[in-house]
Amino acid sequence: MQHLVAIQGTLDRIESLTTEPISVEQLAKDAGMSYWHFQRTFTAMVGEPVGRYIRRRRIAQAAMRLVDYEGTLLELALDYQFESHEAFTRAFKSELSVTPSEWREGRGSILYPRHRERLTQASLKQRYKNMNLLPEIVQRPDSRFNGLQARYLSATSDEANNMRVIPELWKKFFERAPQLPPQTDGVYYGLSNTPEALGLERRHPDEAIYLAAAETDPSFPIPAGMTRWQSTGGLFAKFEHHGPVDTLGETIAYIYGKWFPNSGYEEREGPDFNRFDHRFSPVSETSVLEIFVPISSPTGATDSVA
């Protein structure tokens, strides 16, 4: 329920700020979540990324004003935080299938949903009614991962390039894997984090950093051109994703949209990571990969862990 209230508060805030600059980082802070956790939770609960939602609500409000608006389209565009008439027109047509001028002339659909729906427990239950993934709560020690990292735009972005960047990164990693210690049972790890958490500058609102890696001993030297990430030991929720990797987003949405809000657990700092073993095959329906999400128990609670 806490997550539901936080995201509903975010929607209310966005609705009141459509003509003002909106910082996603600040929205995350106001919601009491890290940037990464906020992005995933928002997308899972609302059904679209926060950046896309903000743009859609700006277009919806602009469309309502446009019917009897007496100013220029450029003035309206700037009022709703679009940098130019051209950018506003592109976004408007992408959303409503007509240009602002055509809308003004009455050629837009009157059926366009001008008012947003409110989030409810019932609506979330309906969205994820066919999914019921129960994680195993496990305790893991501190871990170090050596590998290659790259910036990517997540699957929730309008400009997503994760399905291109990440496979290319793994190809480069396996070319250099012999420089790392042999891995027991051929196990490798994929980790994601925000640029800020790694001390890097963010270049795009939907950007994240991915590390294709192997787990190594702390004393193992980092090969030239590789980097090392650390995962702090503690509680993790371990999920299994079954099926091809291109459906992984559905499992991630379930974790952050249904399981987390109802679990009683809280977010803990640190990267999520995937564990790939002999069961993993990228395009197979029988493929299995493990997802580890760092968590902490509510104050005063205790856990039985594997």
Side-chain angles (χ1 to χ4, degrees):
M1 179 60 96
Q2 179 183 357
H3 287 70
L4 181 72
V5 172
I7 297 301
Q8 184 60 63
T10 297
L11 298 182
D12 293 340
R13 184 160 178 76
I14 289 171
E15 202 71 8
S16 68
L17 293 175
T18 52
T19 58
E20 303 291 336
I22 298 176
S23 164
V24 177
E25 289 84 355
Q26 188 59 51
L27 291 177
K29 290 179 181 178
D30 293 342
M33 304 180 194
S34 70
Y35 185 90
W36 182 251
H37 188 85
F38 173 76
Q39 287 272 33
R40 287 191 161 185
T41 301
F42 186 98
T43 301
M45 285 191 159
V46 180
E48 60 184 324
V50 61
R52 186 186 303 166
Y53 179 85
I54 291 171
R55 185 185 67 182
R56 188 165 62 82
R57 293 310 305 156
R58 282 175 167 159
I59 291 297
Q61 290 198 12
M64 286 188 281
R65 283 182 60 187
L66 191 56
V67 175
D68 54 6
Y69 186 67
E70 296 181 355
T72 67
L73 289 180
L74 177 59
E75 291 172 334
L76 188 65
L78 296 177
D79 196 21
Y80 283 96
Q81 304 300 304
F82 291 90
E83 66 272 18
S84 67
H85 174 281
E86 291 75 18
F88 177 62
T89 298
R90 284 196 302 271
F92 197 100
K93 187 169 184 178
S94 175
E95 184 67 32
L96 299 175
S97 300
V98 294
T99 66
S101 296
E102 292 169 337
W103 180 274
R104 204 177 210 173
E105 295 168 359
R107 294 165 62 181
S109 172
I110 61 173
L111 299 179
Y112 179 70
R114 301 183 180 190
H115 301 284
R116 61 191 172 91
E117 296 182 0
R118 295 190 68 83
L119 285 177
T120 64
Q121 289 284 8
S123 66
L124 291 178
K125 184 177 181 180
Q126 177 64 23
R127 178 175 296 161
Y128 298 108
K129 65 179 181 180
N130 294 323
M131 298 188 73
N132 187 29
L133 306 176
L134 294 179
E136 180 182 3
I137 305 302
V138 299
Q139 185 86 33
R140 281 184 55 93
D142 289 350
S143 303
R144 278 97 179 159
F145 302 94
N146 281 6
L148 299 177
Q149 71 180 32
R151 296 173 182 263
Y152 72 99
L153 301 182
S154 68
T156 60
S157 173
D158 288 338
E159 304 170 61
N161 62 7
N162 58 307
M163 294 303 292
R164 174 178 59 82
V165 172
I166 293 176
E168 289 178 357
L169 183 66
W170 276 111
K171 181 179 179 181
K172 293 177 182 177
F173 170 79
F174 282 122
E175 290 173 354
R176 299 196 57 190
Q179 298 175 31
L180 298 171
Q183 298 301 297
T184 304
D185 297 326
V187 174
Y188 294 95
Y189 295 84
L191 298 84
S192 292
N193 215 332
T194 64
E196 293 84 356
L198 300 172
L200 302 174
E201 181 181 356
R202 178 174 294 278
R203 300 174 183 173
H204 188 284
D206 300 326
E207 185 177 58
I209 311 296
Y210 188 89
L211 181 76
E215 187 171 6
T216 58
D217 187 89
S219 63
F220 185 81
I222 305 173
M226 289 193 182
T227 190
R228 174 178 290 163
W229 290 16
Q230 178 168 321
S231 170
T232 302
L235 283 183
F236 287 80
K238 184 181 81 170
F239 295 85
E240 286 191 353
H241 169 74
H242 293 253
V245 72
D246 62 6
T247 63
L248 179 60
E250 297 173 12
T251 301
I252 297 298
Y254 168 84
I255 293 171
Y256 285 89
K258 182 178 180 180
W259 181 80
F260 229 127
N262 295 287
S263 68
Y265 291 97
E266 298 174 357
E267 174 191 15
R268 181 167 62 83
E269 187 174 345
D272 297 1
F273 59 86
N274 299 333
R275 180 182 183 274
F276 306 96
D277 59 22
H278 67 279
R279 299 171 297 169
F280 176 70
S281 179
V283 298
S284 173
E285 293 293 337
T286 61
S287 175
V288 179
L289 69 85
E290 296 173 346
I291 304 167
F292 289 81
V293 180
I295 58 174
S296 61
S297 298
T299 302
T302 59
D303 294 287
S304 298
V305 298

